[in-house]
Amino acid sequence: MNHFVIAGARVFDGENSLGVVDVEVADGRIASVGGDRPDGADLIDGAGATLLPGLLDAHTHTDAESLRQSLTFGVTTEFDMLSMPGQMIPLRRQAATANDLADVRSPSFGLTPADGHPHQLRKGEGDPPWPTAARPEDIPAFVEGRIAEGADYLKVLVEDGELFGANLPRLAPELVSATVRESHTRGKMVLAHAMTAETAEQVVDAGVDGFTHLFFDRPDHTALIEKIAAANVFVIPTLTVIASITGEPAGRRLAEDPRVRPKLTPEWLDNLSGTIATSPREHLDYARGTLAALHEAGVDILAGTDAAHLGAPGMAHGASLHDELRLLTTAGFSPAEALRAATSVPAQRFGLTDRGRIKPGLRADLVLVTGDPTVTIGDTLSVKHVWRNGTYCAAAISASSPDA
């Protein structure tokens, strides 16, 4: 039996700080929080450190290498936001049982016009032909096709390319509405890529469940924010990629962090150090202001990065989620609120009731970090140990075993 106690660490349980309490793990599950130390359990010294639930990145585009890299940074679950089923179907099976990979969920193909976003960004990726729909009557077959591929949720992309310096065909409103209707009938959420105020309002009116990005083309969205809050729509702001789009060198600064450099290959460090730089720098300030207003209005905010493959500059799997948490605090989030956005809130909104909290009965996806990220959010990067399903699966450069 895999039975141990993480002793003497501060505990943030995904919602609140519990102070210094012991956490017992048995057979891959959290057995107790704050109870007595049972005889026979191995003890892991957590003194001076903070125990968190495994982190969840609510927006990535991933593969096996990326899931392995994420786990090294304490990210135990990724929500892929568009993938090729030929790769994702076997990857999901592998990640479900392989404790050296983060777990993953996915929508498979997203609905976009034949030449729509992100086709302009995926040239040379070797994609198979993408299914699409040109009429509302085509939508049931599209939705059924994605569910047959194992989609956990559906995604629609409403993007004309302006923010990326392109001119692209945009998905028609009636196709978004039809996708929502058909997906909800089948018990699946619909998430929307909509990065302008105009498209954001369109998809909220269509009944989507969440945004995969923040809209950031202009400031001041009072009426739209009220509409989003009233509809209980959640937002994954992806300030990380917005920083890259606006030329802000956040990724470069992250790549220079000594806690990051040893864990990434030179290729990933170079990728993280780049920017997309297709939109004005002031748009990042628009995004921060909009995010602060959404948070004030009570909208659920989920931390996500849009980390993808090499060639998508400014992001790196795992590492970028820590910078996303920092960026959330620049929009007025407290460190604890930022941590909730990467733990309990995404778990709840995606219906993963077995993770995102440190609570008896839940799976033991855990990360131990040096310092106290509820005070200084940057301490999340000081990863000491990571467990997935109670299995010790990754460590920081300074620790080669859970006893180091």
Side-chain angles (χ1 to χ4, degrees):
M1 181 175 74
N2 187 11
H3 189 195
F4 59 92
V5 173
I6 303 168
R10 290 177 295 268
V11 174
F12 177 79
D13 72 354
E15 291 187 353
N16 300 294
S17 295
L18 304 183
V20 175
V21 296
D22 290 352
V23 174
E24 178 191 1
V25 173
D27 288 338
R29 296 277 167 170
I30 297 167
S32 67
V33 179
D36 296 331
R37 296 179 186 176
D39 294 336
D42 295 330
L43 289 183
I44 296 170
D45 184 9
T50 301
L51 188 67
L52 308 170
L55 303 176
L56 291 79
D57 189 331
H59 186 148
T60 70
H61 304 277
T62 200
D63 57 21
E65 175 197 353
S66 299
L67 294 177
R68 188 170 289 110
Q69 180 173 294
S70 282
L71 200 59
T72 304
F73 288 94
V75 177
T76 55
T77 302
E78 284 193 3
F79 294 98
D80 173 84
M81 284 297 159
L82 189 150
S83 60
M84 304 300 107
Q87 288 77 46
M88 183 51 65
I89 292 171
L91 181 60
R92 280 207 57 190
R93 287 197 296 263
Q94 181 185 1
T97 58
N99 288 319
D100 63 337
L101 304 177
D103 199 10
V104 64
R105 299 292 186 272
S106 177
S108 191
F109 292 107
L111 180 63
T112 191
D115 295 315
H117 181 81
H119 288 297
Q120 84 282 8
L121 302 177
R122 294 193 60 84
K123 294 176 182 178
E125 291 296 315
D127 293 350
W130 283 32
T132 188
R135 305 169 302 165
E137 51 264 40
D138 299 330
I139 292 296
F142 178 87
V143 172
E144 288 291 352
R146 308 297 71 76
I147 292 174
E149 292 159 356
D152 299 286
Y153 38 87
L154 277 289
K155 182 179 181 182
V156 294
L157 296 101
V158 188
E159 173 64 60
D160 64 11
E162 180 181 353
L163 295 169
F164 296 91
N167 184 16
L168 303 171
R170 195 166 90 184
L171 196 66
E174 61 269 22
L175 298 179
V176 178
S177 296
T179 303
V180 170
R181 183 171 59 251
E182 294 296 331
S183 300
H184 284 178
T185 296
R186 292 158 177 79
K188 299 292 184 182
M189 291 195 303
V190 178
L191 309 186
H193 169 117
M195 301 179 83
T196 67
E198 179 189 357
T199 57
E201 185 149 24
Q202 173 192 321
V203 299
V204 171
D205 289 343
V208 301
D209 300 280
F211 287 95
T212 63
H213 296 284
L214 191 62
F215 41 97
F216 64 99
D217 59 319
R218 60 177 176 82
D220 302 327
H221 303 284
T222 301
L224 176 56
I225 288 168
E226 290 174 354
K227 183 179 288 190
I228 291 168
N232 195 30
V233 174
F234 63 82
V235 175
I236 308 167
T238 62
L239 292 178
T240 302
V241 76
I242 294 173
S244 180
I245 291 170
T246 58
E248 163 66 31
R252 187 188 69 210
R253 290 192 292 268
L254 183 63
E256 293 169 351
D257 192 306
R259 297 168 296 182
V260 172
R261 292 191 67 81
K263 296 184 181 181
L264 296 180
T265 65
E267 293 80 9
W268 272 109
L269 287 169
D270 183 63
N271 196 82
L272 180 58
S273 298
T275 61
I276 297 170
T278 54
S279 289
R281 185 70 67 89
E282 60 264 25
H283 283 195
L284 180 57
D285 289 331
Y286 296 169
R288 287 191 179 105
T290 297
L291 179 55
L294 287 163
H295 185 44
E296 179 67 23
V299 174
D300 280 344
I301 303 299
L302 286 60
T305 63
D306 202 14
H309 52 80
L310 289 170
M315 290 80 70
H317 287 264
S320 288
L321 185 64
H322 297 269
D323 212 38
E324 186 72 19
L325 300 182
R326 179 190 67 81
L327 287 165
L328 289 178
T329 65
T330 70
F333 285 60
S334 70
E337 289 169 336
L339 289 170
R340 290 182 197 118
T343 55
S344 59
V345 178
Q348 189 270 326
R349 292 305 303 242
F350 279 92
L352 298 185
T353 58
D354 62 345
R355 68 196 72 183
R357 297 284 310 279
I358 297 177
K359 184 177 178 181
L362 302 191
R363 53 190 273 157
D365 288 357
L366 301 166
V367 55
L368 189 69
V369 301
T370 302
D372 187 354
T374 66
V375 175
T376 304
I377 195 65
D379 285 351
T380 59
L381 258 178
S382 301
V383 175
K384 286 172 61 68
H385 307 306
V386 181
W387 294 264
R388 185 176 168 219
N389 280 330
T391 298
Y392 181 74
C393 51
I397 293 301
S398 60
S400 57
S401 78
D403 298 318

